Structure formats: structure tokens, C-alpha cells
Amino acid sequence: MDKIIVTGGCRLEGTVPISGSKNSTLAIMAGALLARGKIVLRNVPRVGDVYTMVEMLRYLGATVEINGCDVVTIDATYLNNREAPYELVKKMRASFWVLGSTLARTGYARVALPGGCDIGARPVDFHIKGIQQLGAQVSLEHGFVEATASQLRGSDIYFDFPSVGATAHLMITASLARGITTIENAAQEPEIVDLARFLNALGARIQGMGTKHLQIEGVDELYGNEYTIIPDRMEAGTFAIAAMATGGDIFLRNAFWEDMQPVLSKLEEAGTSISLEWNGIRVEGPDRPHATDIKTMPHPGFPTDMQQPMTALLSVADGTSIINETLYESRFKYAQELARMGADIKIEGRSAIIKGVPRLTGAPVVASDLRAGAALVIAGLMAEGETEIASFHHVDRGYERLEEKLCALGAQTQRFQEWVEGEELCSV
Ligand code: UD1
């Protein structure tokens, strides 16, 4: 497992190509198990979590090929395994979503329950209740969820909270159910819209994507097709924050403005200048960001995945910012690492009170999860001297060659190999 050293103080400037969305890709690959025939996915990011999903699909019997730099072909016509082991599910929570597609395709699935996570409890009760509502017999034994249904049936599903994972999982599962499924209080994230468009391209009949009300008319079969994945709004957001953090000027090539509005409007409030161009977004940072308050919310609110990089940025803002994290109860653990770099952050329950300091100083720190790692990179870019970030493999799970892209913009980073035995993984 790698560590990187970031030398702070460089102004970032230039164009960065934004890769395909990790979260879209994971949902789409789970959905790909529904189809017979060849699926060609384009704009697939080369990140660790995608390789884990490739491993999962192959384990279940699908043929998966990685071609060129961003193309993956999947043929799940023949599935010869209906059980997903804990070794794969514990690597990445999203691999649990193969439960629904395997069940819908074969009438049976046995998938290990994902465990806890550094950012909070993250249960899967909505997923299981929804699959039961679609007519499956579900039992939980020995750490596995076992589901059986000779024919899934459409149902009216309501979520207490618009869970991204449960919306994706049940949309996939209901695509092959008999009759109509409605999902009320569904997630509206761009990645959910992307998944629905992908499934429709295979022959599914999904309406209402991007709203709280989804309607899925089940079909008998889905077939292969080609599909291009949307740009990753979290990667683009991270580079936008990096531009601000270094008073830089970065063009986010391929980034979609519509998907990034919640983040961009907060960055503008904090003093950045944003201009939209036909093929991307230009972000120019101020000398010092202004303090701003943030509350994380489901889309179209401010995304929880950008909370950590934003906290790093606001740690040097002019004034005091308050961040309220409504989705995950433990998503402030990395604040202790920022404090080691001189940040003044007080955690009270689900809120962080950040008193902006004039400067951070480089220190050895540890990335506890994907976005925490991104936050430490942002902090390292701003800090005086060197910041050594251990457990960088967390970052590799969701960012494609992050430090290489930063270096192309003028950052100074070095990567070193290290190995921490028995370390648990956690990505979001
Ligand atoms: C997805 C994203 C992750 C993002 C999160 C919220 C992927 C691979 N990951 O994660 O990057 O941070 O959405 O935008 O797409 N909940 C329940 N019961 C459930 C399911 C969820 O109580 O059955 C709760 C969770 O504990 C959490 C909230 O709902 O508090 C949001 O979780 P959810 O939207 O499901 O997140 P994920 O799909 O795991």
C-alpha cells in the first residue's frame, strides 16, 4: 500500500481531464448482470473500486474485458455462480448490489452482508426490505443474505430516506420483475439517472429518473448495448477545491455543470470565480477563501463526499465556518489529521466548527477513507513544507491517478510503496 508526499505552496494551473464517474460505473456494472449479450462501457475510470467490481462480475461467471484506457466489455449471458463471498463484499460495499441482479436473472442469490465502515454504520435494511417487497424470500444467516424468487413482482416501495445504494439496487432488481414497481422518495443523484439511462439502453422501461418518483415497468429480458458513463462530479469537485486551495486556475475538461451546481455555488460563496465553457468548467481561486457554512444533503443538496475536501479548504478560510454532516455520523474522523497540520476544528456531534487559520504546516498523516485522503491532499497542497499521506490506497480506490493529474497542473508529489498488514478497506 502506497504513501505520497505532497510539497505545499505550488499554484495549480492548466487543464485536467475529468474521468468517468466511479459511482455510476459501479451501479452500471452491477446492472450489467441483468443482460444477455455484450455490453460495451466507455469512459470507465481506472480506479480500484472498479477493478473490485470486475473481480466480482468474473467471480459470478460474467466475461469481463478491459480494453484500451477506458473501455470495459461485459458479457453476462452465462452466470455460473450465484454466491458472492465476504472477501469480495468487504472490499467494497457496492458489490452487495449484485444480490438483486443475480436474483432477478437466476431466481436465487446468496451475498455476504457488508460490514461497518469508518464513516458510520451504513445499514442495508432498505435494500433487504425492498427485495422482499418485490416478492423474494429473504433470510439472513451466517453473515449472508440469501434471496429466492421464481418470479419477482412489481411493488410500491417507499424509502424513509433517499438512499443512493437502495435506489440503484432496487431499480436494477425491478427491471426484470413482472409488472410495475414504483419507488417513492427515491435518490435523485446524477449517478442514479445515469444508471436508469443505461438500463433503458438495454431495454428496461424506467421513468422519472432525476425525480423522487421512479416508475419501473418490468421486462422479460435485457440485451447488450453500448453506453458512455458520465464524468465524475466528485473528482471534478476535488480539482475545483484544489484550484481554490492554491489560488490557482484550473479548467475541468468534460465536467458537467448541472451535476456540480451544489458544490460550485458553495465555492462561489467562498470566493472562487467560475466560468462555464462548452466542454467544461473553469475555476479560478481567490488568494484566501471566505468562511462559509455547509449542510450535507441528498442531491441536489451539498454532497457528503465533498464535505471532507471542503473542510480542508475552509481550515484556512478567513473566518469561522460550520459544517453540518447529516448523512454519516462518523465522517469527521479525519479532522484529527487536519489538526496535526495546524487546523482549528472542533467537532460537536454531527457538526464541525472550523476557525480559519492563516496557514497549515506539513505533517505525517493517515488517510482513513477515500474522501478523507482527498482532504489531506488538499491540505498538503496548501501547507508549508511536506505532508506525508499514508494509506494512499484508499484514494486510488476512487481517483484515477490523482497525484499524476495534480503534477500535470504544477503540484509536487512523490509516491512510495508501503505495506500495512491486515488493514481494512473502506470506500464511499
Ligand atoms: C452512496 C455513494 C457514496 C455517497 C452516498 C451518499 C456509491 C458507491 N456510494 O453510498 O459515495 O457518500 O451514496 O450520497 O454510490 N441507509 C440506511 N439503510 C439503508 C441504506 C442507507 O439507513 O438500507 C442510510 C445510510 O446509513 C446513510 C444514508 O442512508 O446514513 C445514505 O446512504 P446511501 O445513500 O445508501 O449511501 P450509499 O449508497 O452507501
Side-chain angles (χ1 to χ4, degrees):
M1 295 186 193
D2 293 359
K3 71 175 176 189
I4 71 158
I5 293 182
V6 181
T7 306
C10 301
R11 180 172 188 268
L12 301 190
E13 216 173 357
T15 294
V16 61
I18 301 304
S19 301
S21 161
K22 168 191 77 98
N23 286 352
S24 273
T25 305
L26 297 177
I28 282 172
M29 288 179 75
L33 288 174
L34 294 178
R36 291 175 195 279
K38 188 162 119 181
I39 291 170
V40 180
L41 297 179
R42 302 189 192 284
N43 205 26
V44 175
R46 281 178 295 168
V47 297
D49 280 1
V50 168
Y51 289 113
T52 301
M53 196 55 120
V54 167
E55 217 184 319
M56 175 63 93
L57 264 50
R58 284 181 178 155
Y59 186 90
L60 296 170
T63 305
V64 186
E65 285 169 20
I66 302 169
N67 307 314
C69 58
D70 64 356
V71 180
V72 169
T73 59
I74 300 167
D75 190 336
T77 306
Y78 304 105
L79 296 180
N80 55 20
N81 202 344
R82 301 189 291 173
E83 184 166 322
Y86 184 49
E87 286 63 41
L88 279 177
V89 179
K90 81 170 180 192
K91 273 190 177 179
M92 181 185 69
R93 294 178 55 81
S95 52
F96 179 68
W97 305 348
V98 301
L99 176 77
S101 34
T102 310
L103 170 70
R105 263 300 289 290
T106 72
Y108 175 84
R110 187 169 181 266
V111 176
L113 268 170
C117 196
D118 242 12
I119 61 169
R122 305 185 78 185
V124 287
D125 51 332
F126 301 164
H127 300 238
I128 290 170
K129 190 173 156 207
I131 282 176
Q132 282 171 326
Q133 280 182 268
L134 293 174
Q137 298 289 324
V138 180
S139 63
L140 268 76
E141 271 173 29
H142 307 294
F144 279 77
V145 179
E146 192 173 54
T148 315
S150 50
Q151 174 64 61
L152 292 167
R153 293 185 188 282
S155 179
D156 295 326
I157 293 169
Y158 171 81
F159 290 141
D160 293 340
F161 184 88
S163 156
V164 173
T167 303
H169 195 174
L170 294 172
M171 190 159 73
I172 290 169
T173 313
S175 291
L176 290 185
R178 185 165 294 161
I180 291 178
T181 298
T182 59
I183 304 180
E184 290 297 330
N185 203 19
Q188 303 171 76
E189 268 67 3
E191 295 77 18
I192 294 291
V193 176
D194 209 26
L195 171 65
R197 287 195 181 131
F198 163 74
L199 292 171
N200 283 349
L202 304 187
R205 293 190 191 139
I206 300 171
Q207 290 176 5
M209 54 273 214
T211 75
K212 285 171 177 284
H213 323 282
L214 281 173
Q215 181 173 306
I216 304 130
E217 185 185 341
V219 295
D220 291 339
E221 292 214 317
L222 296 181
Y223 301 96
N225 205 340
E226 299 201 0
Y227 191 77
T228 301
I229 287 157
I230 56 169
D232 195 306
R233 64 192 169 111
M234 302 309 170
E235 188 199 25
T238 305
F239 279 101
I241 293 171
M244 276 202 84
T246 62
D249 179 352
I250 300 182
F251 180 64
L252 312 167
R253 198 173 72 213
N254 310 328
F256 283 177
W257 172 79
E258 315 83 71
D259 294 349
M260 292 186 62
Q261 227 180 340
V263 173
L264 294 179
S265 66
K266 275 293 161 187
L267 291 183
E268 273 184 319
E269 210 174 288
T272 201
S273 150
I274 288 166
S275 38
L276 311 180
E277 297 181 22
W278 70 271
N279 62 340
I281 302 166
R282 186 166 168 204
V283 182
E284 288 173 88
D287 289 341
R288 189 178 183 192
H290 313 306
T292 181
D293 295 339
I294 290 175
K295 186 173 185 177
T296 64
M297 301 276 279
H299 192 77
F302 189 91
T304 173
D305 288 358
M306 285 294 97
Q307 180 260 104
Q308 292 146 301
M310 201 64 188
T311 300
L313 175 75
L314 294 175
S315 68
V316 298
D318 185 8
T320 299
S321 311
I322 298 178
I323 299 212
N324 187 220
E325 170 58 62
T326 69
L327 274 88
Y328 295 115
E329 68 273 18
S330 321
R331 212 173 195 180
F332 285 127
K333 284 186 180 166
Y334 68 99
Q336 295 157 8
E337 301 299 291
L338 289 177
R340 302 192 63 251
M341 299 176 70
D344 181 348
I345 304 176
K346 197 167 150 202
I347 306 299
E348 283 184 4
R350 286 181 174 230
S351 296
I353 300 147
I354 309 159
K355 282 190 189 152
V357 294
R359 66 185 185 118
L360 299 177
T361 52
V365 288
V366 181
S368 52
D369 66 65
L370 167 59
R371 307 297 169 188
L376 295 172
V377 171
I378 300 288
L381 290 169
M382 299 188 294
E384 266 178 38
E386 291 188 342
T387 299
E388 186 182 308
I389 307 171
S391 295
F392 201 71
H393 59 281
H394 287 300
V395 176
D396 294 332
R397 298 185 62 188
Y399 290 91
E400 186 171 309
R401 299 174 291 113
L402 179 63
E403 83 283 8
E404 275 179 41
K405 288 188 180 183
L406 286 170
C407 285
L409 296 168
Q412 280 185 37
T413 69
Q414 279 177 286
R415 184 183 275 257
F416 299 90
Q417 298 278 319
E418 65 171 5
W419 177 254
V420 183
E421 197 142 339
E423 188 167 7
E424 284 301 321
L425 302 174
C426 173
S427 160
V428 285

